[in-house]
Amino acid sequence: MIPERFLEPLEFAANELKGLLRAENEEDVRLVQKGLMLFRQGLVYQLRFEGDKVSATVQDVTPAKVELDLEFIHLSECSCPAEGFCRHQTAVFLQLLSKARSVSMWIEEWRKPIKEKQTAKNWGLQKAKDLLKSSGQMKADYDRWIASFDESFTELMEKQGEPRPYVLPELFHVYLRRMKAGAPVEQEWKLLYLLIGYVFSFKKLMALSRKYGHGEELIDRYYRHLYQSLMEDSAQIMNKLSVHSLPFAFDQFIEKLKDDSAGLINGSFGMEYERTHLYRLLWTHFFKKKEWREAEIERLESFVKEEANMPSVAGYVHLQILERNDEQALRVLNVPNVLMTPYMLYWLDYFSANKDWNRMGPYAEAFIHKLRDYLKEIDDYYACMDFTRMSIKAISPYCLESSKMDLYEKALMETLPYSYNDYEYLLFEKGEFMKWADLQAFIGFDLDSLGKDRIREISKKEPSILLPLFHQSITGHINMKNRDHYREAVRKMKKLRTLYNKLKRQEDWQLFLELLLEKTKRLRAFQEECKRGKLIDA
């Protein structure tokens, strides 16, 4: 017998599973059939009720350990490698259900929608999502696709009211599975269908986040990856479609997608970079008609004047760049606004990919001019390191191709200290040892961390450059005021004395030593270490 406290959750799970597993989906039908077979063969055993969950073992080719969560059936777990709800979980669910009600009746209820659909089909009464299943054999329709996506999203994501944030990824995975199951058979139409579905899903997820007041922090914690995945999958499909010329039959679909894509950058909402990136990809690869771009520029002009939101401003600049209106684009970019800085990486990569070096110059300069102020806005050290790395990578092709190494060096200076490694290497390779020494003094690295090969080479070529670094290191060790650091300071002083002798500046060394000993006369331990090191007489 099943404990009474499990009866209500079991009934809830039975209804949820009807939506999770679709009788219209062949893959789900096979899954239920396999689970039913395992259950009827008596291969489910060790059924246990633990807390608010049910566990069991299913004897398959290898035994599978199953744990059912009746409150959130899609969060159930199985030890098998299958993704999502598997045949073992289905078998355990049916075993549990058999202890409370008829399994055959649940199977009939689960199959009811497909029977109704068949009846409707016989009478010519099909819904948009039903027509979608036969899209491989009939003419594709944008509005039917959107209606089907919308119906599936609402049914799965908001059927029980406000979904809990931590459940959203699982629900969304089920929704995407259902959406992909309705894709046309032809490869090109399938890619277009998926692209439209991803853009729609991105907007629909935005609307859901807005509706339930999910802020950036909550989205970051639970489901930001859903937005990023939709953006990346869309980019992959666009790359595949852009390899070949698109059929004329796509024109109407692309125009409707263009109109719908406006919602990506409208309104105040988080996920600003993801929204903007998807919008820019669409206008770069698909919405290429001049009249479309001019109309969109006109629509966005009011947003730019009011600086309503960053995605709209970035979208306006992007369209001006695509239309080669560089003066208008740079007029916006040259306004002091550090928040625009990360958006500029895309345009620098765009110019590099097209080898459009003449146009890239002013954009690279505007970008470099914003770098220092933008890095000050970022609190996270590692985020600053990552952004610096991307920035240097973005401008490097232009600087190399156009022989603008002075601009490259300026970018390295603007991004210090995060660009230290690149800048240190550049200066040393160019033999600009004075600048190299100034960089070390600015960063505050001790001589021991600079590498013996570096010190050795400079001491051969321009030993005088090392003098201030030794002075700085000696002062640093003395200021630590302990015996170990005093000993290290004395070792450095001996090397410094050798440098002064090499430069034939013994008087300068003597003056430095006298002043230092006078300044530290109260530091008895340091004075003793100087005597022990034979820098002064015992």
Side-chain angles (χ1 to χ4, degrees):
M1 289 293 292
I2 181 172
E4 188 174 344
R5 73 178 191 276
F6 281 92
L7 291 175
E8 187 176 342
L10 176 61
E11 193 64 30
F12 178 78
N15 290 327
E16 281 292 293
L17 212 51
K18 290 175 190 173
L20 186 66
L21 303 174
R22 305 288 293 181
E24 304 96 319
N25 189 331
E26 290 182 13
E27 186 181 338
D28 288 346
V29 170
R30 285 194 296 271
L31 188 148
V32 172
Q33 287 173 344
K34 290 176 182 176
L36 189 61
M37 189 180 299
L38 292 169
F39 156 65
R40 284 180 173 165
Q41 289 176 349
L43 297 177
V44 180
Y45 60 98
Q46 293 180 349
L47 193 69
R48 294 186 299 274
F49 303 94
E50 301 170 348
D52 57 351
K53 295 183 180 178
V54 180
S55 64
T57 302
V58 180
Q59 182 60 53
D60 205 345
V61 179
T62 56
K65 304 288 186 182
V66 174
E67 186 177 81
L68 286 186
D69 186 334
L70 297 180
E71 291 287 343
F72 303 100
I73 194 69
H74 53 279
L75 296 181
S76 300
E77 297 178 356
C78 180
S79 61
C80 78
E83 292 185 7
F85 207 80
C86 67
R87 63 180 183 270
H88 307 117
Q89 291 167 317
T90 305
V92 174
F93 164 75
L94 294 175
Q95 176 74 19
L96 184 64
L97 188 68
S98 69
K99 297 182 179 298
R101 52 179 282 198
S102 168
V103 170
S104 299
M105 188 178 295
W106 183 86
I107 295 290
E108 284 300 312
E109 290 172 0
W110 176 70
R111 295 184 59 198
K112 188 176 179 182
I114 198 72
K115 289 184 176 180
E116 291 176 349
K117 194 173 298 182
Q118 189 62 42
T119 305
K121 186 175 182 180
N122 294 337
W123 286 91
L125 302 171
Q126 288 178 279
K127 295 180 181 178
K129 71 172 183 177
D130 302 325
L131 289 169
L132 194 56
K133 300 298 178 185
S134 58
S135 59
Q137 292 77 38
M138 63 172 292
K139 187 177 179 180
D141 187 289
Y142 184 93
D143 294 330
R144 283 178 184 159
W145 287 355
I146 294 295
S148 174
F149 301 152
D150 191 39
E151 187 176 342
S152 292
F153 189 95
T154 303
E155 182 181 343
L156 281 168
M157 305 292 285
E158 301 184 82
K159 183 180 179 181
Q160 304 297 328
E162 179 179 352
R164 299 182 185 181
Y166 57 83
V167 178
L168 274 173
E170 289 292 334
L171 293 176
F172 197 74
H173 176 71
V174 176
Y175 159 74
L176 284 182
R177 265 182 57 197
R178 189 183 297 182
M179 184 191 84
K180 292 174 183 177
V185 177
E186 299 90 340
Q187 184 62 13
E188 284 188 334
W189 280 105
K190 181 179 181 179
L191 290 173
L192 181 64
Y193 168 92
L194 290 175
L195 177 62
I196 292 170
Y198 289 146
V199 174
F200 169 86
S201 303
F202 194 102
K203 288 176 56 187
K204 199 69 178 174
L205 201 57
M206 281 172 52
L208 184 144
S209 299
R210 279 199 193 105
K211 180 178 179 180
Y212 297 113
H214 294 175
E216 287 267 1
E217 185 179 345
L218 189 145
I219 293 172
D220 283 346
R221 185 183 306 165
Y222 294 112
Y223 62 95
R224 176 182 281 271
H225 65 281
L226 297 180
Y227 287 104
Q228 293 172 337
S229 179
L230 288 170
M231 182 183 73
E232 291 164 5
D233 290 343
S234 299
Q236 288 181 3
I237 290 176
M238 282 184 246
N239 288 333
K240 290 178 182 177
L241 285 172
S242 61
V243 173
H244 307 288
S245 57
L246 301 178
F248 289 119
F250 279 20
D251 289 352
Q252 183 183 3
F253 289 78
I254 293 173
E255 184 168 4
K256 288 187 175 183
L257 180 61
K258 169 190 68 80
D259 295 337
D260 286 347
S261 70
L264 289 170
I265 58 172
N266 290 347
S268 57
F269 176 65
M271 314 302 299
E272 289 189 338
Y273 190 81
E274 288 83 356
R275 292 194 283 144
T276 307
H277 190 64
L278 182 53
Y279 176 88
R280 291 191 291 195
L281 287 172
L282 287 165
W283 278 95
T284 302
H285 295 290
F286 277 91
F287 312 147
K288 297 183 178 181
K289 291 186 179 179
K290 188 175 182 65
E291 58 267 28
W292 289 357
R293 288 175 174 174
E294 289 177 347
E296 184 71 356
I297 287 172
E298 188 176 346
R299 183 182 79 84
L300 292 174
E301 275 181 347
S302 60
F303 290 97
V304 176
K305 290 175 183 176
E306 299 169 6
E307 293 188 1
N309 63 70
M310 195 51 61
S312 295
V313 177
Y316 173 83
V317 173
H318 183 63
L319 290 164
Q320 296 287 17
I321 289 173
L322 292 177
E323 285 298 291
R324 305 183 75 85
N325 299 328
D326 295 325
E327 187 178 341
Q328 289 89 329
L330 288 165
R331 188 181 299 127
V332 176
L333 293 178
N334 285 324
V335 171
N337 186 349
V338 295
L339 297 178
M340 182 61 74
T341 313
Y343 295 92
M344 296 180 72
L345 286 170
Y346 178 89
W347 297 313
L348 296 178
D349 290 338
Y350 172 77
F351 289 127
S352 293
N354 292 308
K355 300 189 184 302
D356 202 345
W357 311 120
N358 290 333
R359 289 182 67 200
M360 186 173 175
Y363 291 92
E365 290 179 13
F367 176 68
I368 291 169
H369 186 69
K370 293 177 182 289
L371 282 174
R372 185 181 296 275
D373 289 336
Y374 178 70
L375 289 171
K376 288 178 182 177
E377 296 291 320
I378 306 177
D379 293 331
D380 190 306
Y381 174 82
Y382 294 103
C384 289
M385 287 292 292
D386 288 340
F387 186 77
T388 297
R389 197 176 299 113
M390 290 188 291
S391 301
I392 300 305
K393 183 181 177 182
I395 66 159
S396 293
Y398 168 74
C399 295
L400 290 170
E401 290 290 334
S402 306
S403 300
K404 294 273 189 179
M405 296 311 292
D406 57 328
L407 197 64
Y408 179 74
E409 185 175 341
K410 183 180 179 183
L412 294 174
M413 291 175 64
E414 291 295 315
T415 50
L416 284 172
Y418 312 106
S419 59
Y420 166 79
N421 289 330
D422 289 323
Y423 195 28
E424 186 269 346
Y425 178 81
L426 175 71
L427 294 176
F428 199 87
E429 288 299 306
K430 288 171 66 178
E432 297 187 8
F433 299 128
M434 185 63 76
K435 279 188 179 181
W436 181 88
D438 289 341
L439 175 64
Q440 311 314 323
F442 170 73
I443 297 296
F445 282 162
D446 190 73
L447 271 170
D448 293 333
S449 64
L450 299 181
K452 292 181 180 179
D453 57 329
R454 293 279 202 256
I455 303 299
R456 195 180 302 116
E457 187 169 344
I458 294 177
S459 64
K460 289 178 184 177
K461 294 180 179 178
E462 295 187 48
S464 61
I465 286 173
L466 294 174
L467 295 177
L469 295 179
F470 272 100
H471 282 284
Q472 185 181 45
S473 179
I474 291 164
T475 302
H477 282 295
I478 293 172
N479 288 339
M480 297 303 293
K481 294 185 178 178
N482 66 57
R483 182 75 71 167
D484 289 338
H485 281 280
Y486 290 154
R487 291 194 192 101
E488 188 59 36
V490 169
R491 281 195 287 270
K492 292 284 194 305
M493 289 169 69
K494 287 181 178 180
K495 293 179 181 179
L496 181 62
R497 180 176 61 186
T498 303
L499 273 178
Y500 273 115
N501 290 335
K502 186 176 182 179
L503 293 167
K504 297 180 180 179
R505 293 172 54 182
Q506 290 86 348
E507 291 182 3
D508 291 337
W509 158 253
Q510 199 59 42
L511 179 61
F512 162 73
L513 181 61
E514 289 173 4
L515 290 173
L516 181 63
L517 292 173
E518 176 63 28
K519 184 179 177 181
T520 58
K521 62 184 179 182
R522 294 182 183 277
L523 302 177
R524 185 181 303 169
F526 176 66
Q527 297 279 334
E528 289 174 0
E529 290 300 325
C530 287
K531 291 175 184 177
R532 192 171 293 158
K534 298 182 180 178
L535 289 173
I536 56 177
D537 295 331

